[in-house]
Structures are given as C-alpha cells and as structure tokens.
Amino acid sequence: MDSEKLKGVILDQKESMEELLTRERIIKRDTPFDLSNYLNHPNIIAVLGVRRCGKSVFSYTLLREILSTFAYINFDDYRLIEFSTSDFENLLKGFYELYGDFNYILLDEVQNVNGWERFVSSLRVNKTVILTGSNSKLLSGELATSLTGRHVDLVLFPFSFKEFLRYKGKETHDIFSIKSKSSLKRELEEYLTVGGFPETVVMGKRVLSSIINDIISKDIIFRYKVAEVNKFKTFAYSIIKYYSSEISVRRMAKMLNISTATLEKWLNGLRESYLVFMLERFSRSPKPLNSEKKVYVVDTGIINNFTVERSVSKLMENVVAIHLLRKNQLEGVSYLKEQE
C-alpha cells in the first residue's frame, strides 16, 4: 500500500473517532493502576481484552487527554485487509507527513498484521507505543522475547457495575436510604441482564448477538482455523451455559463426541479471546486436587443471551469472579470448594 492511500485511511479513522467521542457519552474507566505513569518516556503499553469492551476509546482518550498530536491507526479496517509487514515503512512515512515529528503512536488491533512484532520493537527506542488487541497471546512470541519483559500490559473488561452506574449518571455512595437501596437494586437487575459492554449499555441487549458473533467468528474460528464450525459453536455455547460451574474436559469431550485434545484447543481459544476464564480450585497442596475447573464468562449479558432459566446467585458469583480478575489482572484468583 502506498503512503497516500494510507494517509487517507489514517485521516478517515481519526475523523470517525473524533465524531464518536463528540457524539457519545464517554466515561473515565477504572483501572487497577495508573497508566499515565508509563507515558512519560519511550515504552510499550498493551491494552488487551475481549473484543468491543472499549479498548480503542480508552486508549485513544488516554492519549487525547495529554497530547494534541499523536499517530493512530486501526487495523480492524477492511481497507487494510491486504496490509503486510512491508507496508509499515509507508505507514510511518504517512504519519510523519501528516503530523511532523511525534512521540506517541496508537496501533489498534495490531495482531491483525502478521509479523508486526519487529516493527513495534523498533519503535520503542524513541517512542511510546500503545497497542490494543483482543487476544491474550498478543505479547507472546518475538515481541516478548525481544523486549524481555520491558512492556506494560493492562487487561480491560466490559463496564463494571460501578462504571455502569457512572455511565448512567447514577453513581452514588449513599446506599442507606430505602429509596437509594431500591434504585440500586433496579440498576443491578438491569446490569445482570444486559451486562457491561458499552454498546449494550447504550443501545440495549439486541446488539449482544453481534458482539458474540464477532468474538467467536473473528477471534477464534478465523484466527485458529477451526474446521468444524457448527460443532465448535455448539461447544462454545455449552461452555457459556456452564457459567459459575465446574466442568470436566474429559466428560465434555465424550458428551460432544470430540477428542480431548481438540476440546482443549477450542477451550484455549475461548480463553485467549477473553470470552471465558477457567479458574483452578484453591488448594494448599502444590498439586491440583482434580482436573475440574470452574467457568466464568466475561459478561453477564452474554450469559443471559444463551440461558433461559437464570440463577441470580450464579450470576452474582460470576460478577464477583470477574471483578476479582479485573482487579488482580487475572493473577492469583481461584475458587474455594468445601469438602463434601
């Protein structure tokens, strides 16, 4: 791709993002640590998380609040479907022609370009780079090896209940009056039903089908070249229905009539796309008690899209698990099961 065509894409995308930020209500997201501390010198910051949870807007506004000029491109664009590593030189040329000298660059959904790691690694010498991606393996491979840990990563989730209230202008610290308690319960009921994807909070639960289809089709089936598409979808929907429950990979493989190895591969795809999380049972023993793990889904709206009979207690357990994963950035979270 020549630099002139790339410049057209860059300008179109920036205009679209600015229009979005003007048109929509944008809230400050809660993060477990302050990312601004890592923006003061050349660095790589990876903002990871499930597709359509708000990574692009979060990253763009993070830079927009402190800078008047920064480079930005979103690789999840049909016009960039043929973009390859050989085009990075022209992309950089286009950025310099548009912005002159710049120190900050945002590469959105960069994992769509094979071999992006070397380009990003070279930028780190004198620029601060923010990457976004919807796959937990974004920092595996050559980038992680070449940087030897010299990067910062943040896993972003759909809105927490607190962020959900903030978006609706109903964030409150007063939960003692009968009126405030009743109002908070109504909002919690809606949150458990609709979930926290920004689009569903704005437009309602009808957009959930589109979000789920994007995650499963683009981030798993396409990326991992799944051949048995229908069987995989049956598996994925079954896993979601097991939210806040223990599963056995062997039993599920037998039930779906597929090999354990295939099921493990599919399960890894769900996990790496941040759609589901599999927690180990807590044990003081260095060895796991058994092979069972507990399933938690990234958003309760997705759960309600596939389940007819809902369990408030299980939904609340799922919300708490996701809160702990968000707060601890996926580290050190397990579940406790009392001996029967």
Side-chain angles (χ1 to χ4, degrees):
M1 298 181 68
D2 61 63
S3 60
E4 290 302 313
K5 183 176 180 180
L6 284 169
K7 283 196 293 184
V9 174
I10 291 166
L11 291 174
D12 283 348
Q13 289 184 351
K14 183 171 180 128
E15 183 178 317
S16 296
M17 180 63 83
E18 290 292 337
E19 287 178 355
L20 173 68
L21 298 183
T22 302
R23 181 178 68 249
E24 301 291 346
R25 173 174 164 78
I26 306 299
I27 64 165
K28 182 176 177 58
R29 301 296 301 269
D30 295 327
T31 56
F33 59 91
D34 187 2
L35 272 180
S36 62
N37 294 332
Y38 301 95
L39 293 173
N40 298 325
H41 49 81
N43 207 343
I44 291 180
I45 300 170
V47 180
L48 310 173
V50 68
R51 183 177 290 269
R52 293 164 73 172
C53 73
K55 300 184 300 294
S56 301
V57 170
F58 169 80
S59 302
Y60 192 94
T61 54
L62 181 68
L63 292 177
R64 191 172 181 248
E65 287 175 358
I66 61 172
L67 299 166
S68 57
T69 300
F70 59 89
Y72 164 69
I73 190 165
N74 183 354
F75 290 102
D76 201 16
D77 187 315
Y78 73 93
R79 292 169 294 184
L80 300 176
I81 197 167
E82 300 296 331
F83 191 98
S84 65
T85 51
S86 62
D87 296 314
F88 276 122
E89 184 176 344
N90 279 339
L91 175 65
L92 206 55
K93 179 182 176 184
F95 281 146
Y96 279 120
E97 290 177 358
L98 288 171
Y99 304 118
D101 195 17
F102 61 93
N103 295 317
Y104 295 82
I105 181 170
L106 170 55
L107 303 175
D108 213 350
E109 298 294 346
V110 69
Q111 81 278 345
N112 289 343
V113 183
N114 290 327
W116 56 270
E117 295 93 341
R118 287 187 179 182
F119 173 69
V120 170
S121 183
S122 68
L123 290 176
R124 187 197 179 279
V125 176
N126 54 19
K127 299 190 186 303
T128 295
V129 186
I130 298 182
L131 315 173
T132 78
S134 50
N135 189 280
S136 64
K137 284 196 170 181
L138 182 72
L139 290 179
S140 66
E142 187 175 332
L143 180 61
T145 302
S146 62
L147 293 179
T148 59
R150 293 179 297 165
H151 56 77
V152 179
D153 51 310
L154 170 74
V155 181
L156 197 69
F157 287 75
F159 287 164
S160 65
F161 182 50
K162 185 177 180 181
E163 290 170 329
F164 176 85
L165 292 174
R166 183 179 302 150
Y167 180 84
K168 301 185 75 174
K170 297 181 179 181
E171 191 172 17
T172 177
H173 301 288
D174 173 22
I175 59 171
F176 300 104
S177 70
I178 295 175
K179 182 178 179 181
S180 62
K181 284 182 179 179
S182 299
S183 175
L184 206 59
K185 285 182 179 180
R186 286 196 302 271
E187 297 298 339
L188 180 58
E189 173 66 26
E190 183 179 351
Y191 179 72
L192 292 177
T193 302
V194 176
F197 279 98
E199 289 171 82
T200 63
V201 178
V202 175
M203 294 181 282
K205 61 183 181 181
R206 289 185 180 274
V207 299
L208 274 169
S209 295
S210 170
I211 293 172
I212 297 164
N213 184 65
D214 268 4
I215 296 168
I216 290 177
S217 298
K218 295 180 180 180
D219 293 326
I220 306 173
I221 293 175
F222 176 76
R223 181 166 293 151
Y224 296 96
K225 298 179 174 59
V226 176
E228 298 178 275
V229 172
N230 290 332
K231 187 172 283 190
F232 172 77
K233 287 183 176 181
T234 299
F235 158 75
Y237 302 154
S238 297
I239 288 290
I240 291 170
K241 292 176 183 178
Y242 274 99
Y243 74 98
S244 299
S245 300
E246 288 180 320
I247 66 164
S248 166
V249 171
R250 290 182 180 178
R251 285 200 295 267
M252 183 163 281
K254 186 176 181 179
M255 180 181 71
L256 294 175
N257 193 29
I258 57 178
S259 70
T260 302
T262 297
L263 194 140
E264 288 276 13
K265 180 181 177 182
W266 288 356
L267 190 57
N268 283 337
L270 294 178
R271 295 167 64 181
E272 287 164 6
S273 67
Y274 298 101
L275 180 60
V276 301
F277 301 89
M278 308 295 296
L279 297 190
E280 303 274 357
R281 187 192 299 184
F282 173 78
S283 173
R284 289 186 173 85
S285 169
K287 294 183 179 181
L289 297 175
N290 54 37
S291 61
E292 289 186 339
K293 297 179 182 179
K294 218 166 189 183
V295 178
Y296 295 101
V297 181
V298 71
D299 184 73
T300 53
I302 290 178
I303 294 171
N304 282 308
N305 202 69
F306 290 102
T307 54
V308 177
E309 296 181 4
R310 54 182 265 156
S311 165
V312 174
S313 62
K314 289 177 66 177
L315 286 172
M316 286 300 298
E317 180 183 341
N318 195 95
V319 168
V320 171
I322 297 301
H323 170 73
L324 293 174
L325 289 165
R326 180 190 290 113
K327 181 179 179 181
N328 294 283
Q329 292 291 281
L330 313 185
E331 297 293 332
V333 182
S334 57
Y335 72 96
L336 178 65
K337 182 176 182 180
E338 296 182 3
Q339 297 296 322
E340 297 177 351

